[in-house]
Amino acid sequence: MAFYTDISLVYDDLFPVSTELRVLFDSLMDDGGARSIVDCGCGTGSQLQPFAMAGLSCFGFDPDPSLVAIARRKLAAYPKTRVETGSFSDLPRIVSFPSDILMCLGNSLVHVPQEEASRFFLDAAGALSRTGTLLLQILNYERLLREGVTELPMIRASAETLEFRRRYEWESDRRVLFHTSLRFAGPDEPRIVRNAIPLYPVFPEELWGMLESSGFGDIRFYGDFARSEFSPGSEALVCLARKA
C-alpha cells in the first residue's frame, strides 16, 4: 500500500514500541515459557525485536515490501527470525510451525473487510499451539462511531520535524476512509505526503463473537497495553485470548 511505503522510513519515529507494550511482551514470555511467536502485520519488526533478543523463534509478515525490507535488516542478527511479505489470507500458507504467541497490533486488523477478519481468527487458531495466546489491538470503533469522531490526535516526532495528521470519513458503520497527511520539515520547504485508504471497523461485541466462533476462550478486553479495564470510553481495544 502506498501509504505504508511513504511512511516506512519514519515508521518507528511515529509508532515507537511503548514501555507498557514492552512490559506486556515480558509477561507473555514469562507466562508459560513461550518459545515461538508470529507477528501478523509486523511493520518494521520493532515489535518482534524484544522476542528475538530473548531467543524465541520469530516469524513476521507484512503486505508492504518497504516495511518488510526494513524489518529484515533490523532483525538480520537473529538467526531464529524470519520476515516475509504476505497478507492475513496468507497465514495458513506461510506459517509452518505452531506458535505459542500470535499478535496483530497497530490497528492492522481493520485494513481488511470484516469477512476476511473473521477468517483470520480461524486461521490464527490453527496457527497457534494447543495453549497458545493471541494478542490483538485495534481502536475502539464503537466509541469513534458513537461520538462521531473524524479527527485522530496529531502525532509529532523527530524533534517535531514530523507531523502526522489523521482524519476519518465515515462512509457507513462498516467502512471508513482513512485520510492521512505526513509533513516532513526541510531546510527549504516542507514536504507533504497525502494518502487515503479504506478501513473496515470491527466493534467490541462483534470481535468477541468472532473469537468465540473461531475456538478462542479466556477472552479478555483491555483499554490499553497497561491492561486497564476496557470501557465504552476506551480509545483502544486490546485483547488477550487463548485457544479454548
Side-chain angles (χ1 to χ4, degrees):
M1 287 183 285
F3 166 66
Y4 289 103
T5 299
D6 287 337
I7 71 170
S8 60
L9 294 179
V10 295
Y11 190 91
D12 288 336
D13 292 322
L14 294 171
F15 307 110
V17 179
S18 68
T19 300
E20 293 79 9
L21 184 53
R22 290 183 183 275
V23 170
L24 178 54
F25 287 166
D26 287 343
S27 72
L28 290 175
M29 285 187 277
D30 292 341
D31 184 14
R35 294 171 296 176
S36 58
I37 181 167
V38 173
D39 188 358
C40 309
C42 66
T44 62
S46 291
Q47 295 162 168
L48 274 177
Q49 198 165 24
F51 297 97
M53 293 174 65
L56 274 69
S57 294
C58 299
F59 176 70
F61 66 90
D62 196 279
D64 187 87
S66 300
L67 293 174
V68 168
I70 294 171
R72 284 174 174 169
R73 291 195 298 270
K74 182 180 295 183
L75 299 169
Y78 306 100
K80 296 167 65 176
T81 297
R82 182 166 63 95
V83 182
E84 300 290 344
T85 303
S87 62
F88 288 146
S89 61
D90 295 319
L91 179 58
R93 177 181 62 82
I94 60 179
V95 175
S96 57
F97 58 89
S99 176
D100 298 316
I101 304 169
L102 188 145
M103 62 183 180
C104 178
L105 307 179
N107 206 42
S108 298
L109 182 71
V110 300
H111 286 72
V112 299
Q114 289 85 1
E115 316 84 68
E116 191 173 337
S118 183
R119 178 67 204 180
F120 166 73
F121 289 121
L122 284 169
D123 293 338
L128 279 167
S129 60
R130 186 174 58 85
T131 57
T133 298
L134 171 72
L135 171 61
L136 173 78
Q137 178 259 327
I138 60 174
L139 297 181
N140 178 9
Y141 282 94
E142 186 175 78
R143 181 189 74 86
L144 296 177
L145 179 63
R146 183 182 66 249
E147 297 180 5
V149 173
T150 58
E151 298 277 348
L152 299 181
M154 184 175 67
I155 299 175
R156 286 191 172 94
S158 297
E160 302 199 358
T161 61
L162 291 174
E163 290 184 356
F164 187 46
R165 299 177 186 270
R166 302 167 292 167
R167 181 171 61 86
Y168 273 4
E169 179 185 344
W170 291 85
E171 297 185 327
S172 71
D173 61 351
R174 309 303 288 164
R175 180 181 160 105
V176 177
L177 271 182
F178 182 40
H179 296 271
T180 63
S181 174
L182 182 60
R183 181 182 184 274
F184 301 85
D188 300 317
E189 294 183 0
R191 183 167 69 94
I192 299 176
V193 178
R194 294 184 174 88
N195 270 298
I197 57 173
L199 300 179
Y200 304 89
V202 175
F203 300 96
E205 186 174 345
E206 179 182 24
L207 176 61
W208 193 285
M210 288 180 179
L211 290 164
E212 280 193 325
S213 64
S214 299
F216 286 95
D218 190 19
I219 303 168
R220 303 182 186 186
F221 283 179
Y222 302 100
D224 51 38
F225 288 127
R227 285 180 278 188
S228 302
E229 182 178 355
F230 179 76
S231 72
S234 296
E235 293 185 4
L237 193 167
V238 174
C239 171
L240 282 170
R242 294 185 183 272
K243 289 180 69 170

